Amino acid sequence: MIRVYAADEQGRLHALEDGADAVSRAVWVDLLTPTPTEEATVETTLGVDVPTRAEMEEIEVSSRLYTQDTAAVMTMTLPTQSDTDEPEMAPVSFVLAGDRLITVRYHTPRAFETFVSRANKAALGCRTGEGVLIALLETIVDRLADILERAGRDVDAISREVFQQETPGRKAPRRDFRRVLSEIGRKGDLTSHIRDSLVSLKRLIGFLTQLTSGSKSDKDLRARVKTLTRDTDSLLDHASFLAQKTSFLLEATLGMINIEQNAIIKIFSVAAVIFLPPTLIASIYGMNFQYMPELGWPFGYPLALALMVVSAILPYWYFKHRGWL
């Protein structure tokens, strides 16, 4: 699908009807899962080579950031379905050809829809392809910041659940550590994906900085690129912090599981020690010897029961006195 946008005098974008004539008049051409016919139309009309999906998925920097004739091709990784814990990561290519921007993508990041809505209402300086690219990257940075902020709130909620304190007089709710471990793993994957996206974005902005510094770009656009660099560095630091916090929560949760397991084992161990003396007494008087004086006593049976109760109470009192229970 081809979506074509032109800019007005105030720098706002408005959609044009699809067609070769609209493509030639556009400042931004957005290719969403393009067909070979649509790719050929854009390449013939604008005289640029649109990167294929296989080329977009190359991992080498030289295959993601390069200049071709008068066009600059930049590819980064963007998430979609980022409101869930299982985002889909896929590459997006930005082709800066003269005063036009061509974007090629095979998924639907929310930043694109947000940008179209904002650029239609507010003047974002989208008079040229370079201005559209910078404004779009600003929207992408804002979207990634929102995702990290949501992930940070979720990680804080998990942290409160893991380290919740027992209220005196009230029994603490039982924690489902299997679910907690699953949530920590999902948040760790989400943070890792966003960090990968930010790394690719930082490389793209570095390449764009070289392009704008070596051309006659507007001073305001160069200043916005520098701001994008600082914002990306800040988000990378935040993503690294969330990754470290997620790792800490994982280790803490495993430690809590070990503590609970040790507490259960301790209960069984104490119970075994407490019932060992009564078991010994019962075993002694359960022997089938003919001459056992206590068997003939009138109060032998109650005395044996009392002795077993006392032998069980004494270890319990000792453990309680030492603080082992």
Side-chain angles (χ1 to χ4, degrees), residues 7-13 27 99 123-129 131-132:
D8 58 18
E9 296 180 356
Q10 287 76 30
R12 291 190 293 263
L13 294 180
V27 69
D99 290 335
L124 302 179
C126 300
R127 297 181 182 87
T128 63
V132 175

Side-chain angles (χ1 to χ4, degrees), residues 238-250:
H238 186 47
S240 299
F241 165 74
L242 287 179
Q244 293 175 359
K245 189 170 183 178
T246 303
S247 299
F248 168 73
L249 282 178
L250 178 61

Side-chain angles (χ1 to χ4, degrees), residues 311-325:
S311 65
I313 293 176
L314 287 178
Y316 176 80
W317 173 85
Y318 179 76
F319 291 155
K320 196 77 173 178
H321 179 71
R322 294 297 300 267
W324 295 347
L325 292 177

Side-chain angles (χ1 to χ4, degrees), residues 7 77 94 148 197 242:
T77 305
F94 305 87
L148 283 179
S197 180
L242 287 179

Side-chain angles (χ1 to χ4, degrees), residues 300-312:
Y301 177 67
L303 180 63
L305 292 178
L307 186 60
M308 286 188 286
V309 171
V310 172
S311 65

Side-chain angles (χ1 to χ4, degrees), residues 70-147:
T70 59
V73 181
M74 296 160 279
T75 303
M76 67 169 293
T77 305
L78 268 181
T80 188
Q81 301 177 359
S82 51
D83 289 335
T84 66
D85 290 325
E86 298 179 357
E88 176 188 350
M89 305 297 294
V92 176
S93 288
F94 305 87
V95 182
L96 196 58
D99 290 335
R100 293 184 181 88
L101 173 68
I102 305 169
T103 55
V104 187
R105 54 195 175 99
Y106 291 86
H107 66 316
T108 55
R110 180 174 293 184
F112 277 75
E113 306 301 328
T114 303
F115 172 69
V116 171
S117 178
R118 289 176 54 189
N120 187 37
K121 299 176 182 178
L124 302 179
C126 300
R127 297 181 182 87
T128 63
E130 197 173 78
V132 175
L133 174 59
I134 293 174
L136 179 56
L137 291 178
E138 290 173 343
T139 305
I140 290 173
V141 168
D142 292 340
R143 177 59 182 164
L144 294 177
D146 292 339
I147 298 173

Side-chain angles (χ1 to χ4, degrees), residues 1-2 31-44 50-53 106:
M1 180 174 65
I2 301 179
L31 297 176
L32 176 58
T33 315
T35 63
T37 302
E38 292 172 339
E39 290 183 3
T41 299
V42 173
E43 290 178 346
T44 303
V50 176
T52 64
R53 188 167 190 174
Y106 291 86

